[in-house]
């Protein structure tokens, strides 16, 4: 299948922290922001402002593409919580929202494509216009499973939106209609993305320091 996209894709520019913050500055920061600056995150890849701007752009594309249609956003828990909240509120159209939770078996941090549904949809999506909302696509194996699973339920249409896409995803044949940012092949956290359940509430997205997991 052609994996051309309808959305302008952005390749992120890296924002390096220029100089260490003084101790007194830490005291005035909220705790998650202090974490961002204190070494767990080595490099900010996408700032909170870039995220907000890009989600607004994607919402405008979705508004245009789904005009006159009833839209169901399906968020993949837990990572898509932030984008679902921001995207849905940036839309000018009505939408319904539902959620799936999956766990992907794999070795280390890589998924194998063998996926188990932990929480299924509450909605019968037959005949509905479904937009699957993901936080990040790495190998694309989880996405392949989700797309074929949802297709089997016979929605009127099925498209995919992801905030982040890593290079390996380009080898996966599943079409992704809306991509927020193409990012390098690094383990990133923030804006819903976690390591060991932590860092989801970071407002920007950055590369996790290997010192955290080694
Ligand atoms: P895939 O099946 O290889 O595309 O894996 C996608 C899933 O792996 C995402 O939904 C995330 O849960 C997780 N994942 C992949 N890369 C990262 C990352 O850099 N940070 C956090 N989670 C990630």
């Amino acid at each position: 299948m052609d994996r051309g996209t309808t959305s302008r894709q952005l390749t992120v520019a890296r924002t390096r922290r220029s100089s260490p913050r003084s101790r007194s500055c830490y005291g005035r920061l909220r705790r998650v922001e202090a974490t961002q600056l204190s070494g767990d995150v080595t490099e900010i890849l996408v700032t909170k402002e870039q995220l907000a701007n890009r989600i607004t752009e994607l919402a405008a594309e979705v508004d245009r593409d789904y005009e006159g249609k009833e839209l169901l956003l399906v968020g993949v828990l837990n990572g898509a919580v932030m984008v679902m909240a921001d995207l849905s509120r940036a839309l000018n159209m009505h939408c319904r929202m539902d959620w799936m939770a999956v766990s992907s078996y794999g070795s280390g941090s890589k998924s194998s494509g063998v996926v188990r549904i932990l929480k299924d949809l509450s909605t019968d999506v037959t005949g509905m216009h479904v937009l699957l909302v993901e936080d990040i696509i790495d190998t694309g194996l989880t996405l392949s499973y989700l797309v074929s699973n949802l297709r089997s339920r016979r929605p009127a249409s099925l498209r995919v939106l992801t905030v982040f896409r890593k290079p390996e995803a380009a080898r996966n044949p599943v079409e992704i209609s809306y991509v927020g940012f193409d990012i390098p092949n690094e383990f990133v956290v923030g804006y819903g993305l976690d390591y060991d359940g932590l860092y989801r509430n970071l407002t920007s997205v950055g590369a996790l320091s290997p010192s955290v997991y080694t």
Side-chain angles (χ1 to χ4, degrees):
M1 196 188 308
D2 180 3
R3 55 171 290 112
T5 62
T6 62
S7 125
R8 183 165 63 85
Q9 293 145 28
L10 301 184
T11 301
V12 300
R14 296 173 175 213
T15 313
R16 281 194 183 273
R17 184 157 53 94
S18 51
S19 61
R21 299 269 174 148
S22 72
R23 225 173 213 295
S24 59
C25 184
Y26 276 38
R28 293 198 301 275
L29 292 166
R30 286 171 43 232
R31 248 184 66 210
V32 287
E33 288 168 349
T35 306
Q36 244 161 25
L37 296 168
S38 67
D40 289 5
V41 170
T42 53
E43 184 180 5
I44 302 293
L45 294 179
V46 183
T47 65
K48 149 179 158 177
E49 292 75 21
Q50 288 171 319
L51 277 162
N53 291 338
R54 189 68 185 126
I55 297 295
T56 304
E57 288 176 354
L58 291 175
E61 289 183 37
V62 172
D63 271 332
R64 188 195 62 216
D65 295 348
Y66 288 89
E67 192 180 349
K69 294 179 177 154
E70 288 195 26
L71 174 63
L72 174 69
L73 301 178
V74 170
V76 184
L77 292 169
N78 294 320
V81 166
M82 306 297 176
V83 55
M84 282 284 276
D86 289 344
L87 178 77
S88 60
R89 289 176 298 168
L91 291 173
N92 282 319
M93 63 184 293
H94 283 297
C95 67
R96 294 189 171 84
M97 297 165 80
D98 203 344
W99 303 90
M100 285 183 86
V102 295
S103 98
S104 178
Y105 296 102
S107 58
S109 60
K110 284 287 172 197
S111 70
S112 62
V114 182
V115 175
R116 186 163 60 107
I117 294 181
L118 302 177
K119 185 223 168 290
D120 207 344
L121 297 173
S122 313
T123 315
D124 176 4
V125 301
T126 310
M128 300 192 79
H129 294 283
V130 175
L131 179 58
L132 182 64
V133 179
E134 275 272 21
D135 49 358
I136 191 164
I137 317 270
D138 182 2
T139 60
L141 292 170
T142 308
L143 179 70
S144 295
Y145 171 84
L146 284 169
V147 164
S148 69
N149 181 290
L150 289 173
R151 276 224 180 94
S152 71
R153 306 180 197 202
R154 303 193 178 283
S157 69
L158 176 61
R159 286 184 177 190
V160 178
L161 180 150
T162 186
V163 187
F164 299 105
R165 180 171 66 180
K166 289 191 185 177
E168 202 178 327
R171 291 207 288 273
N172 190 289
V174 174
E175 182 179 345
I176 305 170
S177 298
Y178 310 92
V179 178
F181 300 91
D182 279 304
I183 61 167
N185 195 16
E186 294 185 56
F187 196 86
V188 294
V189 291
Y191 199 65
L193 293 162
D194 75 306
Y195 172 71
D196 197 21
L198 296 174
Y199 306 101
R200 289 192 200 279
N201 58 332
L202 295 182
T203 51
S204 300
V205 168
L208 189 65
S209 168
S211 66
V212 175
Y213 50 86
T214 51

